[in-house]
Amino acid sequence: MVLHKFGEKLYSGLVSTMTLHLQSMSKSIEAAQGASFLDELNAKWNNHNKALQMIRDILMYVDRTLIPSTHKTPVHELGLNLWRDYVIHSCNIQSRLLNTILELIQRERTGEVINRGLMRNIIKMLMDLGASVYQEDFEKPFLNVSADYYQAESQEYIECCDCADYLKKAERRLNEDIDRVSHYLDTKTEPKITNVVEKEMIANHMLRLVHMENSGLVKMLLDDKSEDLARMYNLFRRVSDGLSTIRNVMTSHMRDTGNQLVTDPEKSKNPVEFVETLLEKRDKYDKIISSAFSNDKTFQNALSSSFEYFINLNPRSPEYISLFVDDKLRKGLKGVKDEDVELILDKVMILFRYLQEKDVFEKYYKQHLAKRLLSGKTVSDDAERSLIVKLKTECGYQFTSKLEGMFTDMKTSQDTMQGFYAACGAELGNGPALVVQVLTTGSWPTQSTNTCNLPAELSTLCEKFRSYYLRTHTGRRLTWQTNMGTADLRATFGNVQKYELNVSTYQMCVLMLFNSNEHLSYKEIEQVTEIPSSDLKRCLQSLACVKGKNVLRKEPMSKDIGEDDAFSVNDNFTSKLRKVKIGTVVAQKESEPEKQETRQRVEEDRKPQIEAAIVRIMKSRRVLDHNNIIAEVTKQLQSRFLANPGEIKKRIESLIERDFLERDNADRRLYRYLA
């Protein structure tokens, strides 16, 4: 027919025949009642598809020759378009079809089981008819109805559920819709429907959910609800500003609780517990971030900034962290595996990084390390050195050079003592044994040189050591630090009980007075020994007032030492141990005057550092204004401490007076470097 020029007639005959057939088919579908409507539609669609394939095969020549020359619609596409126009868009089918599909989806949402295979076929039919048919006849109305449904449902849930339950329901709804798409909807619908669920169930109720009383984010954090927190994180990350909402509430909570912790006077009474609480708090949030928040970098940063904020609210944090290290390295790490020791030291380093005043920590750490080394109380040299290596990595060689010098002195002192006994051993006889630690002044914390009167036996021995040392090391000067020494004494009580007492040098000086005196008053002891009053009181308190260690008897008996008290040897002293260690009653934390003194020393040490930074900056920049100098100096020094702008200004004035800098004549806020 095409060859004989009847192609047009054939094509128009095809259109009219198919139209008539589809019109009658449409009536048959319309007549279907209730549930059979979709079955009938599906059956007729399958028949139409088969017929269409056969017609296309028969009219293949039409498709090949007539269609390209006349620009008509190809046969198969024509069949689909006619089905769309006379069946799907039939006035009695179009709205009925949409309502039936939406009703089935609604029933599925309420828990009913529907025929997904049939739904898949019907939706596939709409997709085969073209993207616009699928979108206009189904997708848009489906999204609108879903939005209304989830809006109403979320409102109902938010009123009656707690936060965790609500999130479970939201997650279930989201997963259901993703599952629905995979079974019978177009894959391109997935982002659109999930967007609807996210908007209606999460974004619109975000703030109310995180702030929900007794079940919101803060409650989850307090109760370590990792699973619920992970669910919140995974749902909130899907919406705009979701994660920042969680982060802001979490940061605010961490700062508030941290603030309460570091400013609570009860918590500050025990520095070790104070730091342990900080470490527990950090471990808790670290665990939450890694298990519930996918180790999110922004949450890690929020954790660090919160800790840095509240740790520095307590000016004693550097001292407490050093005391914590001191406690661990004295006794707390006994019997602990090397890996666990490293773990504890790493945790300490994390807190150390948060400190703004690292130089204050250094001051205290140096004091505590000195006491540990001199008393031989350190649990492990390896642990001590490991921490110094960590500090060196964090802050550079300058920070730890003096600490390393302390270890060097301890080693050198051992060699010195061997040399002393090798050279002078013969003339020493069987008298007391002496062990001296020779400390380099610059490396060790400065101590007040309060000497006391040593017993005659020891005075002679010390003098011999001094002579030996100065002979072997020319140009040096020795100053005895008796307040830092210890002694082992053999003592007999009541002519029966024999003990070995481990005491401080001050305690030894006091006890040896009772070899030749039965009773001594406080004033007599003070006069003979010349031990400073505060040290003497602490020393006598530990000898006479500590239960189980009271080798002296005090009259009158009371907890505190008075200037009118009298002392004698406690002949009734007994102990289960043959070796008795008598510690000195000492405050674990610094007293207020000591704290002021340390603070003053820190401020003094900072001055040359600030000046050096100013000179370095001005040397490279030559000319700089006041605000920029302040900013640059603060930046350069922040790894050690937070420089005070007022102090920087004073240092600039000092440098101007010493002709390192000068002010610009025209602009007084501009400084020039004088080479």
Side-chain angles (χ1 to χ4, degrees):
M1 287 182 77
V2 173
L3 289 171
H4 288 86
K5 308 293 185 218
F6 289 111
E8 288 281 354
K9 189 174 183 183
L10 175 63
Y11 191 84
S12 59
L14 173 67
V15 172
S16 57
T17 305
M18 281 173 76
T19 302
L20 282 169
H21 174 69
L22 288 173
Q23 282 172 339
S24 69
M25 198 184 268
S26 176
K27 286 187 171 59
S28 151
I29 295 166
E30 285 170 20
Q33 295 300 312
S36 64
F37 169 67
L38 284 187
D39 289 321
E40 182 69 16
L41 178 63
N42 187 37
K44 291 287 188 276
W45 165 249
N46 287 336
N47 291 341
H48 178 65
N49 251 338
K50 280 178 192 167
L52 204 50
Q53 282 168 10
M54 291 172 75
I55 293 166
R56 183 183 61 190
D57 290 349
I58 293 164
L59 300 179
M60 201 179 284
Y61 190 76
V62 174
D63 266 348
R64 265 213 312 264
T65 58
L66 180 73
I67 300 303
S69 61
T70 57
H71 303 296
K72 291 185 182 298
T73 309
V75 174
H76 188 264
E77 196 182 324
L78 172 72
L80 293 179
N81 291 349
L82 292 173
W83 172 269
R84 178 192 66 203
D85 297 340
Y86 291 101
V87 178
I88 299 304
H89 286 170
S90 151
C91 55
N92 294 327
I93 291 178
Q94 188 171 13
S95 57
R96 187 178 171 191
L97 173 61
L98 175 64
N99 292 337
T100 307
I101 295 172
L102 292 177
E103 187 191 338
L104 282 169
I105 291 173
Q106 174 64 17
R107 278 160 58 185
E108 189 178 44
R109 278 179 176 150
T110 55
E112 280 188 49
V113 177
I114 63 167
N115 185 343
R116 283 185 157 186
L118 178 61
M119 284 288 275
R120 183 164 54 247
N121 292 341
I122 298 296
I123 297 293
K124 175 81 166 57
M125 174 193 73
L126 294 176
M127 287 158 62
D128 289 345
L129 295 175
S132 62
V133 176
Y134 173 79
Q135 287 167 6
E136 297 299 326
D137 287 30
F138 167 70
E139 192 182 63
K140 282 183 183 173
F142 164 66
L143 294 174
N144 291 335
V145 166
S146 298
D148 294 341
Y149 175 78
Y150 287 128
Q151 185 183 21
E153 187 175 72
S154 66
Q155 205 54 52
E156 182 190 326
Y157 285 163
I158 202 100
E159 297 303 336
C160 67
C161 296
D162 67 14
C163 182
D165 284 342
Y166 181 94
L167 292 172
K168 281 175 191 167
K169 292 182 191 308
E171 185 181 51
R172 196 184 75 234
R173 283 304 192 200
L174 194 60
N175 291 335
E176 282 172 6
D177 268 303
I178 291 169
D179 182 59
R180 188 171 293 116
V181 170
S182 71
H183 277 90
Y184 59 79
L185 301 181
D186 183 5
T187 50
K188 290 177 187 158
T189 304
E190 186 179 316
K192 298 174 188 174
I193 186 61
T194 52
N195 197 28
V196 167
V197 182
E198 288 157 9
K199 179 176 180 289
E200 298 301 338
M201 297 207 79
I202 303 165
N204 290 350
H205 302 287
M206 207 154 53
L207 288 172
R208 186 164 173 189
L209 283 167
V210 292
H211 292 297
M212 207 175 257
E213 208 171 331
N214 297 325
S215 72
L217 177 58
V218 169
K219 181 70 175 160
M220 288 178 186
L221 291 169
L222 289 172
D223 296 346
D224 290 332
K225 300 279 188 186
S226 283
E227 200 181 316
D228 293 334
L229 288 164
R231 187 174 291 111
M232 180 182 273
Y233 177 83
N234 289 325
L235 290 172
F236 277 43
R237 75 193 299 185
R238 303 178 75 102
V239 300
S240 170
D241 294 333
L243 291 186
S244 61
T245 303
I246 298 178
R247 204 164 48 244
N248 293 342
V249 173
M250 179 177 153
T251 302
S252 171
H253 167 67
M254 285 193 294
R255 289 188 175 211
D256 290 346
T257 52
N259 193 345
Q260 286 165 19
L261 167 67
V262 299
T263 53
D264 181 355
E266 283 303 307
K267 290 271 192 296
S268 294
K269 280 181 181 171
N270 186 330
V272 176
E273 273 179 29
F274 173 86
V275 176
E276 270 168 356
T277 312
L278 282 178
L279 289 173
E280 281 164 20
K281 189 177 171 67
R282 194 180 183 294
D283 279 351
K284 171 193 170 94
Y285 287 111
D286 211 28
K287 197 172 167 190
I288 286 171
I289 290 169
S290 62
S291 63
F293 298 157
S294 304
N295 230 344
D296 190 312
K297 264 281 179 283
T298 59
F299 281 80
Q300 288 282 9
N301 294 342
L303 173 65
S304 295
S305 69
S306 302
F307 264 76
E308 188 174 332
Y309 161 76
F310 64 72
I311 275 185
N312 291 297
L313 289 177
N314 186 337
R316 302 196 78 164
S317 289
E319 179 190 354
Y320 290 175
I321 293 171
S322 180
L323 283 165
F324 173 80
V325 173
D326 188 52
D327 177 75
K328 291 294 172 202
L329 293 175
R330 271 175 185 270
K331 52 179 186 266
L333 297 176
K334 263 186 188 154
V336 178
K337 290 181 190 167
D338 288 350
E339 309 90 83
D340 297 335
V341 170
E342 283 297 307
L343 203 64
I344 290 168
L345 297 182
D346 284 337
K347 285 180 180 178
V348 168
M349 286 306 299
I350 288 170
L351 292 186
F352 170 75
R353 281 184 203 112
Y354 296 143
L355 292 175
Q356 287 171 348
E357 299 192 308
K358 293 182 175 65
D359 56 339
V360 177
F361 171 85
E362 184 195 8
K363 268 274 181 292
Y364 286 111
Y365 180 71
K366 199 195 271 189
Q367 286 173 16
H368 297 143
L369 174 63
K371 285 177 186 168
R372 285 198 299 280
L373 291 176
L374 295 175
S375 59
K377 295 285 173 50
T378 185
V379 171
S380 150
D381 268 1
D382 290 343
E384 292 280 9
R385 289 184 186 281
S386 173
L387 185 58
I388 287 176
V389 168
K390 290 179 195 300
L391 288 167
K392 190 176 187 175
T393 309
E394 192 65 33
C395 299
Y397 167 75
Q398 195 183 358
F399 193 88
T400 58
S401 59
K402 290 180 180 176
L403 305 177
E404 288 168 336
M406 290 161 78
F407 279 95
T408 309
D409 281 352
M410 295 303 289
K411 177 75 184 76
T412 312
S413 295
Q414 286 177 5
D415 300 340
T416 304
M417 288 316 298
Q418 285 172 1
F420 171 62
Y421 279 106
C424 310
E427 58 188 87
L428 295 177
N430 294 324
L434 178 71
V435 179
V436 180
Q437 317 284 4
V438 182
L439 316 179
T440 310
T441 308
S443 297
W444 295 73
T446 48
Q447 295 283 343
S448 49
T449 51
N450 296 324
T451 51
C452 67
N453 293 331
L454 292 168
E457 307 95 300
L458 280 173
S459 265
T460 315
L461 190 55
C462 289
E463 208 43 57
K464 281 181 179 167
F465 177 81
R466 180 199 290 275
S467 304
Y468 163 77
Y469 188 83
L470 296 178
R471 272 201 317 274
T472 51
H473 299 85
T474 52
R476 293 193 184 178
R477 197 177 60 184
L478 284 182
T479 311
W480 293 103
Q481 298 277 338
T482 44
N483 55 329
M484 294 163 79
T486 58
D488 290 328
L489 296 176
R490 288 198 188 92
T492 309
F493 294 90
N495 298 322
V496 183
Q497 299 289 350
K498 293 190 176 183
Y499 294 101
E500 198 172 291
L501 307 179
N502 176 256
V503 293
S504 71
T505 304
Y506 283 165
Q507 289 168 334
M508 174 203 68
C509 294
V510 171
L511 289 172
M512 286 185 72
L513 295 178
F514 290 94
N515 281 339
S516 50
N517 298 281
E518 281 195 20
H519 296 275
L520 286 167
S521 68
Y522 171 85
K523 286 187 175 164
E524 286 170 333
I525 295 171
E526 186 177 35
Q527 197 175 348
V528 176
T529 61
E530 291 185 7
I531 296 171
S533 172
S534 59
D535 290 329
L536 181 59
K537 282 181 179 173
R538 281 211 294 261
C539 164
L540 288 166
Q541 206 174 358
S542 55
L543 292 170
C545 305
V546 179
K547 197 176 177 184
K549 306 277 178 81
N550 49 338
V551 293
L552 294 182
R553 188 182 285 121
K554 180 173 98 72
E555 291 171 13
M557 195 56 214
S558 63
K559 278 188 178 179
D560 296 316
I561 303 294
E563 296 202 354
D564 299 324
D565 292 352
F567 298 88
S568 59
V569 174
N570 178 11
D571 289 333
N572 300 325
F573 172 78
T574 57
S575 173
K576 291 176 185 174
L577 302 169
R578 215 182 96 63
K579 286 187 175 183
V580 181
K581 177 177 176 1
I582 301 175
T584 305
V585 175
V586 58
Q588 193 184 18
K589 296 185 292 180
E590 282 191 316
S591 63
E592 204 54 45
E594 287 173 325
K595 195 173 84 177
Q596 292 297 336
E597 191 187 333
T598 304
R599 169 56 64 180
Q600 221 168 342
R601 286 208 301 270
V602 167
E603 294 296 345
E604 283 303 315
D605 287 352
R606 282 180 181 178
K607 288 177 183 177
Q609 293 180 58
I610 294 172
E611 287 183 358
I614 295 168
V615 170
R616 273 197 307 274
I617 292 160
M618 290 304 294
K619 210 169 186 175
S620 64
R621 303 290 281 276
R622 313 305 290 181
V623 178
L624 204 59
D625 66 273
H626 183 79
N627 289 348
N628 274 322
I629 289 190
I630 301 282
E632 291 262 0
V633 169
T634 308
K635 189 178 171 187
Q636 271 200 19
L637 296 173
Q638 67 186 7
S639 64
R640 278 185 67 74
F641 60 90
L642 203 61
N644 180 345
E647 190 55 47
I648 298 173
K649 192 179 177 192
K650 284 181 190 170
R651 296 301 97 217
I652 291 171
E653 296 297 339
S654 169
L655 289 168
I656 289 171
E657 283 170 21
R658 288 178 281 154
D659 293 336
F660 281 92
L661 309 177
E662 68 173 1
R663 276 200 174 84
D664 187 81
N665 292 330
D667 183 353
R668 302 293 289 162
R669 291 181 66 77
L670 207 62
Y671 303 105
R672 294 180 186 285
Y673 179 67
L674 297 174

PDB file of all heavy atoms in Angstrom, residues 425-440:
ATOM      1  N   GLY A 425      86.571   6.890 101.017  1.00  0.00           N
ATOM      2  CA  GLY A 425      85.928   5.808 101.773  1.00  0.00           C
ATOM      3  C   GLY A 425      86.694   5.389 103.005  1.00  0.00           C
ATOM      4  O   GLY A 425      86.119   5.175 104.075  1.00  0.00           O
ATOM      5  N   ALA A 426      88.022   5.296 102.894  1.00  0.00           N
ATOM      6  CA  ALA A 426      88.854   4.793 104.001  1.00  0.00           C
ATOM      7  C   ALA A 426      88.743   5.682 105.230  1.00  0.00           C
ATOM      8  O   ALA A 426      88.650   5.192 106.363  1.00  0.00           O
ATOM      9  CB  ALA A 426      90.309   4.707 103.532  1.00  0.00           C
ATOM     10  N   GLU A 427      88.738   7.008 105.013  1.00  0.00           N
ATOM     11  CA  GLU A 427      88.725   7.912 106.182  1.00  0.00           C
ATOM     12  C   GLU A 427      87.326   8.129 106.758  1.00  0.00           C
ATOM     13  O   GLU A 427      87.164   8.741 107.804  1.00  0.00           O
ATOM     14  CB  GLU A 427      89.345   9.272 105.797  1.00  0.00           C
ATOM     15  CG  GLU A 427      88.652   9.973 104.651  1.00  0.00           C
ATOM     16  CD  GLU A 427      89.415  11.201 104.180  1.00  0.00           C
ATOM     17  OE1 GLU A 427      90.304  11.056 103.316  1.00  0.00           O
ATOM     18  OE2 GLU A 427      89.107  12.267 104.727  1.00  0.00           O
ATOM     19  N   LEU A 428      86.293   7.599 106.070  1.00  0.00           N
ATOM     20  CA  LEU A 428      84.923   7.815 106.563  1.00  0.00           C
ATOM     21  C   LEU A 428      84.570   6.835 107.667  1.00  0.00           C
ATOM     22  O   LEU A 428      83.724   7.123 108.513  1.00  0.00           O
ATOM     23  CB  LEU A 428      83.909   7.679 105.412  1.00  0.00           C
ATOM     24  CG  LEU A 428      83.999   8.722 104.300  1.00  0.00           C
ATOM     25  CD1 LEU A 428      82.999   8.434 103.196  1.00  0.00           C
ATOM     26  CD2 LEU A 428      83.758  10.129 104.848  1.00  0.00           C
ATOM     27  N   GLY A 429      85.186   5.642 107.661  1.00  0.00           N
ATOM     28  CA  GLY A 429      84.923   4.654 108.709  1.00  0.00           C
ATOM     29  C   GLY A 429      83.500   4.117 108.628  1.00  0.00           C
ATOM     30  O   GLY A 429      82.909   4.031 107.560  1.00  0.00           O
ATOM     31  N   ASN A 430      82.924   3.751 109.808  1.00  0.00           N
ATOM     32  CA  ASN A 430      81.584   3.144 109.852  1.00  0.00           C
ATOM     33  C   ASN A 430      80.493   4.143 110.240  1.00  0.00           C
ATOM     34  O   ASN A 430      79.456   3.758 110.774  1.00  0.00           O
ATOM     35  CB  ASN A 430      81.576   1.961 110.838  1.00  0.00           C
ATOM     36  CG  ASN A 430      82.466   0.842 110.337  1.00  0.00           C
ATOM     37  OD1 ASN A 430      82.539   0.613 109.127  1.00  0.00           O
ATOM     38  ND2 ASN A 430      83.161   0.179 111.258  1.00  0.00           N
ATOM     39  N   GLY A 431      80.772   5.391 110.052  1.00  0.00           N
ATOM     40  CA  GLY A 431      79.769   6.412 110.419  1.00  0.00           C
ATOM     41  C   GLY A 431      78.568   6.397 109.467  1.00  0.00           C
ATOM     42  O   GLY A 431      78.388   5.476 108.688  1.00  0.00           O
ATOM     43  N   PRO A 432      77.747   7.466 109.523  1.00  0.00           N
ATOM     44  CA  PRO A 432      76.562   7.521 108.650  1.00  0.00           C
ATOM     45  C   PRO A 432      76.968   7.519 107.172  1.00  0.00           C
ATOM     46  O   PRO A 432      78.030   8.021 106.814  1.00  0.00           O
ATOM     47  CB  PRO A 432      75.910   8.863 109.008  1.00  0.00           C
ATOM     48  CG  PRO A 432      76.599   9.339 110.227  1.00  0.00           C
ATOM     49  CD  PRO A 432      77.920   8.655 110.331  1.00  0.00           C
ATOM     50  N   ALA A 433      76.103   6.914 106.348  1.00  0.00           N
ATOM     51  CA  ALA A 433      76.348   6.911 104.891  1.00  0.00           C
ATOM     52  C   ALA A 433      75.657   8.129 104.290  1.00  0.00           C
ATOM     53  O   ALA A 433      74.546   8.482 104.682  1.00  0.00           O
ATOM     54  CB  ALA A 433      75.793   5.640 104.274  1.00  0.00           C
ATOM     55  N   LEU A 434      76.326   8.762 103.347  1.00  0.00           N
ATOM     56  CA  LEU A 434      75.781   9.997 102.756  1.00  0.00           C
ATOM     57  C   LEU A 434      75.554   9.791 101.252  1.00  0.00           C
ATOM     58  O   LEU A 434      76.395   9.230 100.567  1.00  0.00           O
ATOM     59  CB  LEU A 434      76.794  11.140 102.972  1.00  0.00           C
ATOM     60  CG  LEU A 434      76.417  12.511 102.387  1.00  0.00           C
ATOM     61  CD1 LEU A 434      75.279  13.139 103.187  1.00  0.00           C
ATOM     62  CD2 LEU A 434      77.632  13.446 102.412  1.00  0.00           C
ATOM     63  N   VAL A 435      74.379  10.208 100.791  1.00  0.00           N
ATOM     64  CA  VAL A 435      74.112  10.203  99.342  1.00  0.00           C
ATOM     65  C   VAL A 435      73.715  11.626  98.962  1.00  0.00           C
ATOM     66  O   VAL A 435      72.743  12.172  99.499  1.00  0.00           O
ATOM     67  CB  VAL A 435      72.965   9.233  98.962  1.00  0.00           C
ATOM     68  CG1 VAL A 435      72.702   9.285  97.455  1.00  0.00           C
ATOM     69  CG2 VAL A 435      73.316   7.818  99.395  1.00  0.00           C
ATOM     70  N   VAL A 436      74.501  12.221  98.074  1.00  0.00           N
ATOM     71  CA  VAL A 436      74.240  13.623  97.697  1.00  0.00           C
ATOM     72  C   VAL A 436      73.790  13.681  96.236  1.00  0.00           C
ATOM     73  O   VAL A 436      74.361  13.014  95.375  1.00  0.00           O
ATOM     74  CB  VAL A 436      75.522  14.481  97.871  1.00  0.00           C
ATOM     75  CG1 VAL A 436      75.253  15.934  97.492  1.00  0.00           C
ATOM     76  CG2 VAL A 436      76.018  14.390  99.299  1.00  0.00           C
ATOM     77  N   GLN A 437      72.734  14.473  95.986  1.00  0.00           N
ATOM     78  CA  GLN A 437      72.339  14.767  94.598  1.00  0.00           C
ATOM     79  C   GLN A 437      72.815  16.188  94.314  1.00  0.00           C
ATOM     80  O   GLN A 437      72.395  17.116  95.004  1.00  0.00           O
ATOM     81  CB  GLN A 437      70.807  14.725  94.428  1.00  0.00           C
ATOM     82  CG  GLN A 437      70.104  13.578  95.131  1.00  0.00           C
ATOM     83  CD  GLN A 437      70.287  12.260  94.411  1.00  0.00           C
ATOM     84  OE1 GLN A 437      71.002  12.196  93.424  1.00  0.00           O
ATOM     85  NE2 GLN A 437      69.676  11.213  94.916  1.00  0.00           N
ATOM     86  N   VAL A 438      73.696  16.337  93.323  1.00  0.00           N
ATOM     87  CA  VAL A 438      74.198  17.680  92.990  1.00  0.00           C
ATOM     88  C   VAL A 438      73.349  18.213  91.835  1.00  0.00           C
ATOM     89  O   VAL A 438      73.334  17.641  90.743  1.00  0.00           O
ATOM     90  CB  VAL A 438      75.690  17.636  92.587  1.00  0.00           C
ATOM     91  CG1 VAL A 438      76.192  19.052  92.304  1.00  0.00           C
ATOM     92  CG2 VAL A 438      76.508  16.996  93.693  1.00  0.00           C
ATOM     93  N   LEU A 439      72.628  19.284  92.103  1.00  0.00           N
ATOM     94  CA  LEU A 439      71.652  19.804  91.136  1.00  0.00           C
ATOM     95  C   LEU A 439      72.148  21.094  90.498  1.00  0.00           C
ATOM     96  O   LEU A 439      72.593  22.006  91.194  1.00  0.00           O
ATOM     97  CB  LEU A 439      70.312  20.075  91.838  1.00  0.00           C
ATOM     98  CG  LEU A 439      69.832  18.991  92.816  1.00  0.00           C
ATOM     99  CD1 LEU A 439      68.522  19.407  93.457  1.00  0.00           C
ATOM    100  CD2 LEU A 439      69.680  17.652  92.121  1.00  0.00           C
ATOM    101  N   THR A 440      72.046  21.154  89.159  1.00  0.00           N
ATOM    102  CA  THR A 440      72.440  22.376  88.447  1.00  0.00           C
ATOM    103  C   THR A 440      71.368  23.432  88.684  1.00  0.00           C
ATOM    104  O   THR A 440      70.186  23.184  88.415  1.00  0.00           O
ATOM    105  CB  THR A 440      72.548  22.095  86.931  1.00  0.00           C
ATOM    106  OG1 THR A 440      73.355  20.942  86.759  1.00  0.00           O
ATOM    107  CG2 THR A 440      73.130  23.272  86.190  1.00  0.00           C
TER     108      THR A 440
END
